[in-house]
Amino acid sequence: MATMVSIQPKDSGGGGGETRESVVQRLADDMLSKLPEDFLPHEVKARLHKMGHLSPMNIFLRQEIDRMQRVIVLVRGTLVDLKLAIDGTIIMSEMLRDALDNMFDARVPTAWKKISWASATLGFWFTELLERDMQFRTWCFEGRPNYFWMTGFFNPQGFLTAMRQEVTRAHKGWALDTVVLSNEVTKMFKDDVKEPPTEGVYVHGLFLDGAAWDRRQGKLIEQTPKVLFTSLPVVHIFAINSTAGKDPRFYHCPLYKKPNRTDLTFITTLQLKTTQSPDHWTLRGVALLCDVK
């Protein structure tokens, strides 16, 4: 499909319709009007100091905000330059030409994709940018949220590691080497969460691929026909001090960032309750996804 789109004629016909440039210019105006403001370094630094800048979770937040700021700056700069190039004020560089072609085809420009995240269309990508930015701003300027949208992190593994470090520091005598992740699938959805857990984090926005979830009994069940993905309730992820191996009663479900399951998109494994043998779900290829688009 991508090849078919790429070989389409680039010039508009003489039918009197909108030109490619006018379509992209209108899209650029719309995106610029919705693009978040820059994160001001002194404001972010002041807030992090107030919350505890040496806390593992706040160090993680600072790293995520820095990466988000890079994306916002690049997107704003590209859109502003693209408008000037369409007007003929500046030269249309190779990067701007790539942005023009991809935006017209509703795809993410190559330069943006390199420093951000994969997405099926430009619309999905820009919506995710706004949602990610909202999570970071809320966390930074209004305090730590009751639950987290793990899909919105550049480095979700770092998020879980920061949580492990936080729990380890809270317990005298615990060593990070023996502290491992554990989890429990709650019966709540994000709107039901009124306060954070006493330890660990609540995570929402995960989807089951290859199985369904019995919310009442809290266990894996067979997939509903014609339903590809099932939304999982809020998951309480925490850390315990244990040297024991994996509990064979649970299905240890791999969690991936995207539907394409590779070692590059793998995050961790979560344990899910099951009345059947865990091997049953392994043969089904059951996995958890942060994003299904």
Side-chain angles (χ1 to χ4, degrees):
M1 180 61 73
T3 305
M4 290 172 64
V5 170
S6 67
I7 61 175
Q8 293 297 309
K10 303 298 183 188
D11 296 325
S12 58
E18 266 192 308
T19 63
R20 293 170 69 254
E21 287 75 12
S22 61
V23 170
V24 172
Q25 190 159 29
R26 181 161 44 78
L27 180 59
D29 285 331
D30 183 53
M31 292 175 72
L32 281 170
S33 68
K34 296 176 182 175
L35 195 65
E37 294 296 321
D38 289 346
F39 285 95
L40 299 177
H42 65 278
E43 288 184 358
V44 173
K45 188 176 181 180
R47 280 296 305 170
L48 290 176
H49 267 276
K50 191 173 181 180
M51 291 193 294
H53 65 290
L54 295 179
S55 162
M57 293 291 274
N58 292 335
I59 291 172
F60 167 78
L61 174 60
R62 177 60 189 266
Q63 293 168 345
E64 292 286 305
I65 287 176
D66 287 345
R67 293 186 67 174
M68 191 71 214
Q69 176 61 16
R70 284 181 60 205
V71 175
I72 293 172
V73 168
L74 179 63
V75 171
R76 181 174 286 111
T78 303
L79 293 175
V80 170
D81 287 350
L82 188 56
K83 287 178 62 181
L84 292 173
I86 290 172
D87 290 337
T89 307
I90 62 173
I91 296 172
M92 180 76 74
S93 66
E94 187 177 340
M95 188 187 83
L96 294 177
R97 172 61 64 184
D98 173 82
L100 177 72
D101 292 341
N102 279 303
M103 286 174 66
F104 181 76
D105 295 331
R107 294 182 300 182
V108 185
T110 306
W112 299 2
K113 202 184 300 181
K114 279 182 181 176
I115 65 166
S116 61
W117 51 90
S119 195
T121 67
L122 181 59
F124 285 145
W125 184 91
F126 192 71
T127 301
E128 191 168 329
L129 182 150
L130 299 178
E131 291 172 347
R132 284 173 179 243
D133 177 82
M134 179 60 69
Q135 175 166 249
F136 295 143
R137 286 184 196 275
T138 303
W139 185 357
C140 184
F141 298 109
E142 296 178 21
R144 182 165 166 165
N146 294 336
Y147 51 81
F148 296 89
W149 179 51
M150 202 155 69
T151 314
F153 294 137
F154 290 94
N155 181 18
Q157 295 97 324
F159 171 71
L160 296 175
T161 301
M163 186 272 292
R164 279 178 56 226
Q165 292 173 331
E166 187 178 65
V167 173
T168 304
R169 290 183 185 183
H171 294 270
K172 190 175 181 181
W174 283 22
L176 188 61
D177 291 343
T178 57
V179 173
V180 295
L181 291 175
S182 187
N183 69 275
E184 180 185 355
V185 182
T186 70
K187 294 184 178 181
M188 302 182 291
F189 283 99
K190 67 173 184 177
D191 295 334
D192 303 324
V193 179
K194 304 303 179 188
E195 58 184 17
T198 53
E199 198 167 82
V201 291
Y202 285 140
V203 169
H204 76 94
L206 304 183
F207 298 88
L208 265 173
D209 181 14
W213 184 257
D214 185 335
R215 188 181 174 193
R216 182 173 296 175
Q217 298 187 33
K219 65 176 185 177
L220 284 169
I221 55 176
E222 293 296 340
Q223 193 170 18
T224 308
K226 299 183 181 179
V227 177
L228 292 178
F229 306 107
T230 304
S231 181
L232 199 67
V234 169
V235 181
H236 179 204
I237 303 178
F238 51 95
I240 57 173
N241 190 26
S242 172
T243 54
K246 293 181 178 180
D247 191 333
R249 296 172 300 170
F250 291 94
Y251 171 58
H252 296 274
C253 185
L255 171 62
Y256 296 91
K257 296 179 188 176
K258 297 288 179 181
N260 52 329
R261 307 183 195 177
T262 68
D263 56 340
L264 297 176
T265 59
F266 175 76
I267 299 173
T268 186
T269 57
L270 297 181
Q271 55 187 28
L272 302 178
K273 288 182 181 177
T274 172
T275 52
Q276 294 167 286
S277 167
D279 292 341
H280 173 81
W281 304 111
T282 302
L283 292 171
R284 286 277 195 277
V286 175
L288 282 166
L289 305 175
C290 285
D291 187 13
V292 295
K293 294 190 284 294

